[in-house]
Amino acid sequence: AAEQLNQQRPDLYRARGATFETLGEFDRARDDFDRALQSARILNDRSAEWQALIDLGALWAGRDYAQTGQYYQQAIDLARSIDQPALIAHSLNRLANWYVNSEQPLEGQQLHTEALKIFETAKDQEGVAETLDFLGMANYMGGNLVQGTAYYHRAIDLFRALDNRKGLSSSMGAMSIRAATIQTSTMVAAEKLIDAARGCEEAYQVARDIGWRSGEAFALIMWCTTLGPQGDYTQALDIAHRGIEIAEEIGHLQWMAGGYGILGAIYYDLLALPLARQYLERGLVLGQETGSLHWQRVAAGFLASTLIDLHELSTAESVLKNTLPADSPAHSIGQRLCWCARIELALAQKDPTLALELIDRMTISAPNVIDPLAPNIIRLAILRGGALQQLDRMDEAQKCFDAALTVANEQGNRSLVWRIHLALGKFYQAQARRSDAEREYVAARSLVDELAVNIADESLRDNFLQSAYTLIPIGSPRRSSKQAADGLTPREREVAQHIALGKSNREIADELVVGERTIETHVTNILNKLGFSSRTQIAAWIASKNNKMT
């Protein structure tokens, strides 16, 4: 109607552009935002001009991060020229977030803090909530999961009170990073994986309810980073693929880069190294296309680790050299993943002194570390243990492996627990402590068997079992299962104990911090192995076992 009347209405173009953006129609959204910008300039409506620049910057974040930075810089220059505090604060947040995603989190934190003061002075609760969300991410990207989580909890409370469902979904999805996820096992975790997973599930549901396609993709990609470490592989893979599909449908290159990188990391965890390499290389290329240093370095860190396991050390070294300069800090998520890969490379090249120097550097730069000599960071504790073992400093090495196992169990990171048992087995074997080594190898194999239950794809499951058994140097492939009582694995026996207490599958899943489908599979395996047909028989069997022990 406005067009028929030859009226300049930047507000209408903006509203339609925002709708197209929500639906994931990039070209139509860009056209409308461009027309809103032109219309505002014709009217000399500087506030509307500023809004159009912000909208264009946010839209381009999914395609070209360099473009995003240019629009945000124009917006803050305009806001300062018209001297409107609210616009200045919003501009500060956007530009700060651009810095954060460009791997400059400390610069971003400073700008966000300036914005927060402006909003708090104006008692602008929407602005405060938005800024707290940004500060949460800035701290996460800067390596401080504890402080970032505190900001996110405040933001989520405000978004709920304001009924801002888009903000709520975004914050809850981003707050998944607070645990020892695929991305963040190089940092001190703030909360457990199972809590992070539940938050992502709600984030996804809220995004679906409001039809926010980009938010759906983001929540799914963040969700799978919490499920993989818990060993819920089938669901993690399904969710990752769904997130990528949505990102591809709407042409969101940044979420595509993130999705491929995270999916590759899951396949790396499953020991499917050629498949991991394929997805990680794709994620790295997409990260380069978008200009997102974060996703480039996430993909590069895991790609280098994959290449090291494939014994392609020179290629791994080249990937790291091209992605992260040698003088780079070790603050952000992506930087720390690349530095961990460099440490793995040094250990593979039998240079434990260099590895230990890099580990010390990473430990010093990490907030909330309790004991630098046995850090409460899973991957750093494992790597430090490996470096100390190569240096024949056995007592210190054991302290690190024990610390890693404690944190991994507390977090529910089962994908790393079995690897720590393997590392401990090799550690004891090197000292000719055969019974201790055997115990650790049995524990590793038992957990591998349990994790394999959660891999629906038969070829992927068989490859995981065969590859894991090859890494565990002694015993027959099913030795761990045979050593468990009546053919049950330790986890199956644990589930049986809970059944004997009258607990439902849901209650057992909550208690053991796994998915309900995982418990259903365990129950089926228990029934088959024992030749039973009911839970009552399992309970009676447990009771008889307990009586014999008494």
PDB file of all heavy atoms in Angstrom, residues 476-506:
ATOM      1  N   SER A 476      41.259 -60.218  25.100  1.00  0.00           N
ATOM      2  CA  SER A 476      40.450 -60.514  23.922  1.00  0.00           C
ATOM      3  C   SER A 476      39.415 -59.421  23.754  1.00  0.00           C
ATOM      4  O   SER A 476      39.083 -58.718  24.699  1.00  0.00           O
ATOM      5  CB  SER A 476      39.744 -61.857  24.090  1.00  0.00           C
ATOM      6  OG  SER A 476      38.891 -61.807  25.211  1.00  0.00           O
ATOM      7  N   PRO A 477      38.843 -59.247  22.553  1.00  0.00           N
ATOM      8  CA  PRO A 477      37.917 -58.153  22.311  1.00  0.00           C
ATOM      9  C   PRO A 477      36.770 -58.061  23.293  1.00  0.00           C
ATOM     10  O   PRO A 477      36.311 -56.986  23.595  1.00  0.00           O
ATOM     11  CB  PRO A 477      37.410 -58.433  20.895  1.00  0.00           C
ATOM     12  CG  PRO A 477      38.535 -59.156  20.249  1.00  0.00           C
ATOM     13  CD  PRO A 477      39.135 -59.999  21.339  1.00  0.00           C
ATOM     14  N   ARG A 478      36.293 -59.186  23.808  1.00  0.00           N
ATOM     15  CA  ARG A 478      35.152 -59.134  24.713  1.00  0.00           C
ATOM     16  C   ARG A 478      35.541 -59.468  26.156  1.00  0.00           C
ATOM     17  O   ARG A 478      34.712 -59.857  26.961  1.00  0.00           O
ATOM     18  CB  ARG A 478      34.069 -60.125  24.247  1.00  0.00           C
ATOM     19  CG  ARG A 478      33.489 -59.763  22.881  1.00  0.00           C
ATOM     20  CD  ARG A 478      32.660 -58.506  22.970  1.00  0.00           C
ATOM     21  NE  ARG A 478      32.142 -58.109  21.680  1.00  0.00           N
ATOM     22  CZ  ARG A 478      31.352 -57.076  21.466  1.00  0.00           C
ATOM     23  NH1 ARG A 478      31.011 -56.322  22.475  1.00  0.00           N
ATOM     24  NH2 ARG A 478      30.927 -56.772  20.273  1.00  0.00           N
ATOM     25  N   ARG A 479      36.818 -59.289  26.452  1.00  0.00           N
ATOM     26  CA  ARG A 479      37.285 -59.681  27.782  1.00  0.00           C
ATOM     27  C   ARG A 479      36.561 -58.943  28.898  1.00  0.00           C
ATOM     28  O   ARG A 479      36.220 -59.502  29.926  1.00  0.00           O
ATOM     29  CB  ARG A 479      38.782 -59.429  27.882  1.00  0.00           C
ATOM     30  CG  ARG A 479      39.390 -59.893  29.190  1.00  0.00           C
ATOM     31  CD  ARG A 479      40.896 -59.937  29.078  1.00  0.00           C
ATOM     32  NE  ARG A 479      41.487 -60.567  30.238  1.00  0.00           N
ATOM     33  CZ  ARG A 479      42.703 -61.046  30.277  1.00  0.00           C
ATOM     34  NH1 ARG A 479      43.447 -61.012  29.195  1.00  0.00           N
ATOM     35  NH2 ARG A 479      43.184 -61.586  31.360  1.00  0.00           N
ATOM     36  N   SER A 480      36.334 -57.627  28.673  1.00  0.00           N
ATOM     37  CA  SER A 480      35.688 -56.851  29.724  1.00  0.00           C
ATOM     38  C   SER A 480      34.296 -57.386  30.012  1.00  0.00           C
ATOM     39  O   SER A 480      33.878 -57.448  31.169  1.00  0.00           O
ATOM     40  CB  SER A 480      35.602 -55.381  29.316  1.00  0.00           C
ATOM     41  OG  SER A 480      34.849 -55.228  28.144  1.00  0.00           O
ATOM     42  N   SER A 481      33.569 -57.788  28.957  1.00  0.00           N
ATOM     43  CA  SER A 481      32.222 -58.311  29.171  1.00  0.00           C
ATOM     44  C   SER A 481      32.264 -59.634  29.923  1.00  0.00           C
ATOM     45  O   SER A 481      31.452 -59.890  30.810  1.00  0.00           O
ATOM     46  CB  SER A 481      31.510 -58.505  27.822  1.00  0.00           C
ATOM     47  OG  SER A 481      31.285 -57.268  27.209  1.00  0.00           O
ATOM     48  N   LYS A 482      33.223 -60.482  29.571  1.00  0.00           N
ATOM     49  CA  LYS A 482      33.302 -61.784  30.218  1.00  0.00           C
ATOM     50  C   LYS A 482      33.682 -61.673  31.680  1.00  0.00           C
ATOM     51  O   LYS A 482      33.334 -62.523  32.495  1.00  0.00           O
ATOM     52  CB  LYS A 482      34.325 -62.660  29.477  1.00  0.00           C
ATOM     53  CG  LYS A 482      33.846 -63.083  28.090  1.00  0.00           C
ATOM     54  CD  LYS A 482      34.902 -63.900  27.378  1.00  0.00           C
ATOM     55  CE  LYS A 482      34.430 -64.303  25.983  1.00  0.00           C
ATOM     56  NZ  LYS A 482      35.453 -65.052  25.257  1.00  0.00           N
ATOM     57  N   GLN A 483      34.441 -60.619  32.023  1.00  0.00           N
ATOM     58  CA  GLN A 483      34.847 -60.471  33.415  1.00  0.00           C
ATOM     59  C   GLN A 483      33.737 -59.908  34.277  1.00  0.00           C
ATOM     60  O   GLN A 483      33.815 -59.913  35.486  1.00  0.00           O
ATOM     61  CB  GLN A 483      36.079 -59.567  33.492  1.00  0.00           C
ATOM     62  CG  GLN A 483      37.297 -60.229  32.880  1.00  0.00           C
ATOM     63  CD  GLN A 483      38.579 -59.677  33.451  1.00  0.00           C
ATOM     64  OE1 GLN A 483      38.572 -58.885  34.373  1.00  0.00           O
ATOM     65  NE2 GLN A 483      39.696 -60.131  32.917  1.00  0.00           N
ATOM     66  N   ALA A 484      32.686 -59.362  33.647  1.00  0.00           N
ATOM     67  CA  ALA A 484      31.564 -58.852  34.430  1.00  0.00           C
ATOM     68  C   ALA A 484      30.696 -60.014  34.882  1.00  0.00           C
ATOM     69  O   ALA A 484      30.629 -61.056  34.238  1.00  0.00           O
ATOM     70  CB  ALA A 484      30.734 -57.886  33.585  1.00  0.00           C
ATOM     71  N   ALA A 485      29.994 -59.833  35.978  1.00  0.00           N
ATOM     72  CA  ALA A 485      29.184 -60.919  36.551  1.00  0.00           C
ATOM     73  C   ALA A 485      28.121 -61.386  35.574  1.00  0.00           C
ATOM     74  O   ALA A 485      27.370 -60.582  35.024  1.00  0.00           O
ATOM     75  CB  ALA A 485      28.533 -60.442  37.845  1.00  0.00           C
ATOM     76  N   ASP A 486      28.084 -62.737  35.343  1.00  0.00           N
ATOM     77  CA  ASP A 486      27.076 -63.359  34.496  1.00  0.00           C
ATOM     78  C   ASP A 486      26.987 -62.734  33.111  1.00  0.00           C
ATOM     79  O   ASP A 486      25.925 -62.679  32.505  1.00  0.00           O
ATOM     80  CB  ASP A 486      25.707 -63.280  35.185  1.00  0.00           C
ATOM     81  CG  ASP A 486      25.662 -64.137  36.441  1.00  0.00           C
ATOM     82  OD1 ASP A 486      25.441 -65.341  36.318  1.00  0.00           O
ATOM     83  OD2 ASP A 486      25.887 -63.576  37.523  1.00  0.00           O
ATOM     84  N   GLY A 487      28.110 -62.237  32.612  1.00  0.00           N
ATOM     85  CA  GLY A 487      28.123 -61.674  31.264  1.00  0.00           C
ATOM     86  C   GLY A 487      27.666 -60.238  31.175  1.00  0.00           C
ATOM     87  O   GLY A 487      27.665 -59.659  30.089  1.00  0.00           O
ATOM     88  N   LEU A 488      27.262 -59.624  32.282  1.00  0.00           N
ATOM     89  CA  LEU A 488      26.833 -58.231  32.251  1.00  0.00           C
ATOM     90  C   LEU A 488      28.033 -57.301  32.373  1.00  0.00           C
ATOM     91  O   LEU A 488      28.980 -57.588  33.095  1.00  0.00           O
ATOM     92  CB  LEU A 488      25.857 -57.929  33.394  1.00  0.00           C
ATOM     93  CG  LEU A 488      24.555 -58.732  33.476  1.00  0.00           C
ATOM     94  CD1 LEU A 488      23.653 -58.114  34.538  1.00  0.00           C
ATOM     95  CD2 LEU A 488      23.850 -58.795  32.148  1.00  0.00           C
ATOM     96  N   THR A 489      27.964 -56.179  31.671  1.00  0.00           N
ATOM     97  CA  THR A 489      28.982 -55.153  31.842  1.00  0.00           C
ATOM     98  C   THR A 489      28.731 -54.448  33.173  1.00  0.00           C
ATOM     99  O   THR A 489      27.633 -54.550  33.742  1.00  0.00           O
ATOM    100  CB  THR A 489      28.921 -54.116  30.712  1.00  0.00           C
ATOM    101  OG1 THR A 489      27.689 -53.391  30.818  1.00  0.00           O
ATOM    102  CG2 THR A 489      29.009 -54.776  29.345  1.00  0.00           C
ATOM    103  N   PRO A 490      29.728 -53.725  33.686  1.00  0.00           N
ATOM    104  CA  PRO A 490      29.500 -52.982  34.943  1.00  0.00           C
ATOM    105  C   PRO A 490      28.300 -52.045  34.870  1.00  0.00           C
ATOM    106  O   PRO A 490      27.543 -51.922  35.828  1.00  0.00           O
ATOM    107  CB  PRO A 490      30.811 -52.204  35.118  1.00  0.00           C
ATOM    108  CG  PRO A 490      31.835 -53.053  34.440  1.00  0.00           C
ATOM    109  CD  PRO A 490      31.139 -53.650  33.258  1.00  0.00           C
ATOM    110  N   ARG A 491      28.091 -51.367  33.723  1.00  0.00           N
ATOM    111  CA  ARG A 491      26.956 -50.459  33.622  1.00  0.00           C
ATOM    112  C   ARG A 491      25.633 -51.237  33.620  1.00  0.00           C
ATOM    113  O   ARG A 491      24.658 -50.815  34.240  1.00  0.00           O
ATOM    114  CB  ARG A 491      27.081 -49.590  32.369  1.00  0.00           C
ATOM    115  CG  ARG A 491      25.921 -48.589  32.144  1.00  0.00           C
ATOM    116  CD  ARG A 491      25.588 -47.772  33.384  1.00  0.00           C
ATOM    117  NE  ARG A 491      26.633 -46.855  33.748  1.00  0.00           N
ATOM    118  CZ  ARG A 491      26.647 -45.557  33.439  1.00  0.00           C
ATOM    119  NH1 ARG A 491      25.660 -45.031  32.778  1.00  0.00           N
ATOM    120  NH2 ARG A 491      27.639 -44.789  33.855  1.00  0.00           N
ATOM    121  N   GLU A 492      25.612 -52.395  32.945  1.00  0.00           N
ATOM    122  CA  GLU A 492      24.384 -53.201  32.938  1.00  0.00           C
ATOM    123  C   GLU A 492      24.057 -53.696  34.339  1.00  0.00           C
ATOM    124  O   GLU A 492      22.884 -53.719  34.753  1.00  0.00           O
ATOM    125  CB  GLU A 492      24.541 -54.370  31.964  1.00  0.00           C
ATOM    126  CG  GLU A 492      24.507 -53.955  30.500  1.00  0.00           C
ATOM    127  CD  GLU A 492      24.983 -55.042  29.558  1.00  0.00           C
ATOM    128  OE1 GLU A 492      25.472 -56.097  30.038  1.00  0.00           O
ATOM    129  OE2 GLU A 492      24.888 -54.838  28.346  1.00  0.00           O
ATOM    130  N   ARG A 493      25.081 -54.086  35.075  1.00  0.00           N
ATOM    131  CA  ARG A 493      24.852 -54.528  36.452  1.00  0.00           C
ATOM    132  C   ARG A 493      24.337 -53.374  37.308  1.00  0.00           C
ATOM    133  O   ARG A 493      23.459 -53.549  38.156  1.00  0.00           O
ATOM    134  CB  ARG A 493      26.150 -55.079  37.054  1.00  0.00           C
ATOM    135  CG  ARG A 493      25.953 -55.738  38.421  1.00  0.00           C
ATOM    136  CD  ARG A 493      27.208 -56.459  38.877  1.00  0.00           C
ATOM    137  NE  ARG A 493      27.030 -57.023  40.210  1.00  0.00           N
ATOM    138  CZ  ARG A 493      26.422 -58.165  40.466  1.00  0.00           C
ATOM    139  NH1 ARG A 493      25.923 -58.878  39.461  1.00  0.00           N
ATOM    140  NH2 ARG A 493      26.298 -58.605  41.700  1.00  0.00           N
ATOM    141  N   GLU A 494      24.844 -52.166  37.050  1.00  0.00           N
ATOM    142  CA  GLU A 494      24.378 -50.987  37.772  1.00  0.00           C
ATOM    143  C   GLU A 494      22.908 -50.721  37.463  1.00  0.00           C
ATOM    144  O   GLU A 494      22.114 -50.406  38.366  1.00  0.00           O
ATOM    145  CB  GLU A 494      25.239 -49.785  37.377  1.00  0.00           C
ATOM    146  CG  GLU A 494      25.031 -48.561  38.245  1.00  0.00           C
ATOM    147  CD  GLU A 494      26.000 -47.442  37.899  1.00  0.00           C
ATOM    148  OE1 GLU A 494      26.743 -47.576  36.902  1.00  0.00           O
ATOM    149  OE2 GLU A 494      26.005 -46.430  38.616  1.00  0.00           O
ATOM    150  N   VAL A 495      22.544 -50.843  36.197  1.00  0.00           N
ATOM    151  CA  VAL A 495      21.137 -50.654  35.808  1.00  0.00           C
ATOM    152  C   VAL A 495      20.254 -51.701  36.478  1.00  0.00           C
ATOM    153  O   VAL A 495      19.157 -51.400  36.976  1.00  0.00           O
ATOM    154  CB  VAL A 495      20.992 -50.718  34.268  1.00  0.00           C
ATOM    155  CG1 VAL A 495      19.518 -50.768  33.863  1.00  0.00           C
ATOM    156  CG2 VAL A 495      21.674 -49.528  33.613  1.00  0.00           C
ATOM    157  N   ALA A 496      20.745 -52.925  36.522  1.00  0.00           N
ATOM    158  CA  ALA A 496      19.976 -54.007  37.171  1.00  0.00           C
ATOM    159  C   ALA A 496      19.740 -53.692  38.651  1.00  0.00           C
ATOM    160  O   ALA A 496      18.648 -53.964  39.186  1.00  0.00           O
ATOM    161  CB  ALA A 496      20.714 -55.331  37.016  1.00  0.00           C
ATOM    162  N   GLN A 497      20.744 -53.131  39.301  1.00  0.00           N
ATOM    163  CA  GLN A 497      20.589 -52.756  40.719  1.00  0.00           C
ATOM    164  C   GLN A 497      19.475 -51.727  40.888  1.00  0.00           C
ATOM    165  O   GLN A 497      18.669 -51.800  41.820  1.00  0.00           O
ATOM    166  CB  GLN A 497      21.908 -52.191  41.266  1.00  0.00           C
ATOM    167  CG  GLN A 497      23.042 -53.197  41.372  1.00  0.00           C
ATOM    168  CD  GLN A 497      22.937 -54.104  42.610  1.00  0.00           C
ATOM    169  OE1 GLN A 497      21.986 -53.996  43.393  1.00  0.00           O
ATOM    170  NE2 GLN A 497      23.888 -55.012  42.747  1.00  0.00           N
ATOM    171  N   HIS A 498      19.405 -50.770  39.984  1.00  0.00           N
ATOM    172  CA  HIS A 498      18.351 -49.752  40.049  1.00  0.00           C
ATOM    173  C   HIS A 498      16.976 -50.363  39.769  1.00  0.00           C
ATOM    174  O   HIS A 498      15.972 -49.966  40.376  1.00  0.00           O
ATOM    175  CB  HIS A 498      18.640 -48.628  39.054  1.00  0.00           C
ATOM    176  CG  HIS A 498      19.721 -47.689  39.498  1.00  0.00           C
ATOM    177  ND1 HIS A 498      19.563 -46.812  40.539  1.00  0.00           N
ATOM    178  CD2 HIS A 498      20.986 -47.504  39.042  1.00  0.00           C
ATOM    179  CE1 HIS A 498      20.668 -46.110  40.704  1.00  0.00           C
ATOM    180  NE2 HIS A 498      21.562 -46.513  39.809  1.00  0.00           N
ATOM    181  N   ILE A 499      16.926 -51.331  38.852  1.00  0.00           N
ATOM    182  CA  ILE A 499      15.658 -52.014  38.571  1.00  0.00           C
ATOM    183  C   ILE A 499      15.175 -52.726  39.818  1.00  0.00           C
ATOM    184  O   ILE A 499      13.972 -52.710  40.154  1.00  0.00           O
ATOM    185  CB  ILE A 499      15.831 -53.010  37.402  1.00  0.00           C
ATOM    186  CG1 ILE A 499      16.045 -52.242  36.089  1.00  0.00           C
ATOM    187  CG2 ILE A 499      14.618 -53.938  37.289  1.00  0.00           C
ATOM    188  CD1 ILE A 499      16.407 -53.129  34.920  1.00  0.00           C
ATOM    189  N   ALA A 500      16.103 -53.344  40.528  1.00  0.00           N
ATOM    190  CA  ALA A 500      15.748 -54.063  41.761  1.00  0.00           C
ATOM    191  C   ALA A 500      15.176 -53.130  42.825  1.00  0.00           C
ATOM    192  O   ALA A 500      14.409 -53.558  43.702  1.00  0.00           O
ATOM    193  CB  ALA A 500      16.971 -54.794  42.312  1.00  0.00           C
ATOM    194  N   LEU A 501      15.517 -51.831  42.719  1.00  0.00           N
ATOM    195  CA  LEU A 501      14.984 -50.846  43.657  1.00  0.00           C
ATOM    196  C   LEU A 501      13.631 -50.302  43.215  1.00  0.00           C
ATOM    197  O   LEU A 501      13.069 -49.408  43.859  1.00  0.00           O
ATOM    198  CB  LEU A 501      15.977 -49.682  43.819  1.00  0.00           C
ATOM    199  CG  LEU A 501      17.326 -50.039  44.476  1.00  0.00           C
ATOM    200  CD1 LEU A 501      18.274 -48.846  44.416  1.00  0.00           C
ATOM    201  CD2 LEU A 501      17.108 -50.472  45.927  1.00  0.00           C
ATOM    202  N   GLY A 502      13.125 -50.835  42.099  1.00  0.00           N
ATOM    203  CA  GLY A 502      11.801 -50.438  41.615  1.00  0.00           C
ATOM    204  C   GLY A 502      11.780 -49.157  40.800  1.00  0.00           C
ATOM    205  O   GLY A 502      10.714 -48.576  40.590  1.00  0.00           O
ATOM    206  N   LYS A 503      12.930 -48.714  40.310  1.00  0.00           N
ATOM    207  CA  LYS A 503      12.982 -47.458  39.566  1.00  0.00           C
ATOM    208  C   LYS A 503      12.576 -47.655  38.105  1.00  0.00           C
ATOM    209  O   LYS A 503      12.844 -48.704  37.507  1.00  0.00           O
ATOM    210  CB  LYS A 503      14.388 -46.864  39.628  1.00  0.00           C
ATOM    211  CG  LYS A 503      14.801 -46.422  41.032  1.00  0.00           C
ATOM    212  CD  LYS A 503      16.193 -45.798  41.011  1.00  0.00           C
ATOM    213  CE  LYS A 503      16.621 -45.389  42.424  1.00  0.00           C
ATOM    214  NZ  LYS A 503      17.986 -44.814  42.432  1.00  0.00           N
ATOM    215  N   SER A 504      11.949 -46.632  37.529  1.00  0.00           N
ATOM    216  CA  SER A 504      11.574 -46.648  36.115  1.00  0.00           C
ATOM    217  C   SER A 504      12.791 -46.319  35.255  1.00  0.00           C
ATOM    218  O   SER A 504      13.821 -45.862  35.761  1.00  0.00           O
ATOM    219  CB  SER A 504      10.479 -45.612  35.848  1.00  0.00           C
ATOM    220  OG  SER A 504      10.996 -44.297  36.035  1.00  0.00           O
ATOM    221  N   ASN A 505      12.657 -46.542  33.941  1.00  0.00           N
ATOM    222  CA  ASN A 505      13.760 -46.209  33.037  1.00  0.00           C
ATOM    223  C   ASN A 505      14.114 -44.727  33.104  1.00  0.00           C
ATOM    224  O   ASN A 505      15.278 -44.341  33.068  1.00  0.00           O
ATOM    225  CB  ASN A 505      13.398 -46.586  31.599  1.00  0.00           C
ATOM    226  CG  ASN A 505      13.429 -48.085  31.374  1.00  0.00           C
ATOM    227  OD1 ASN A 505      13.816 -48.844  32.265  1.00  0.00           O
ATOM    228  ND2 ASN A 505      13.014 -48.526  30.200  1.00  0.00           N
ATOM    229  N   ARG A 506      13.081 -43.871  33.213  1.00  0.00           N
ATOM    230  CA  ARG A 506      13.318 -42.439  33.298  1.00  0.00           C
ATOM    231  C   ARG A 506      14.103 -42.083  34.560  1.00  0.00           C
ATOM    232  O   ARG A 506      15.042 -41.280  34.529  1.00  0.00           O
ATOM    233  CB  ARG A 506      11.982 -41.698  33.294  1.00  0.00           C
ATOM    234  CG  ARG A 506      12.046 -40.178  33.420  1.00  0.00           C
ATOM    235  CD  ARG A 506      12.591 -39.514  32.182  1.00  0.00           C
ATOM    236  NE  ARG A 506      14.031 -39.326  32.200  1.00  0.00           N
ATOM    237  CZ  ARG A 506      14.758 -38.972  31.173  1.00  0.00           C
ATOM    238  NH1 ARG A 506      14.199 -38.799  30.011  1.00  0.00           N
ATOM    239  NH2 ARG A 506      16.051 -38.803  31.280  1.00  0.00           N
TER     240      ARG A 506
END
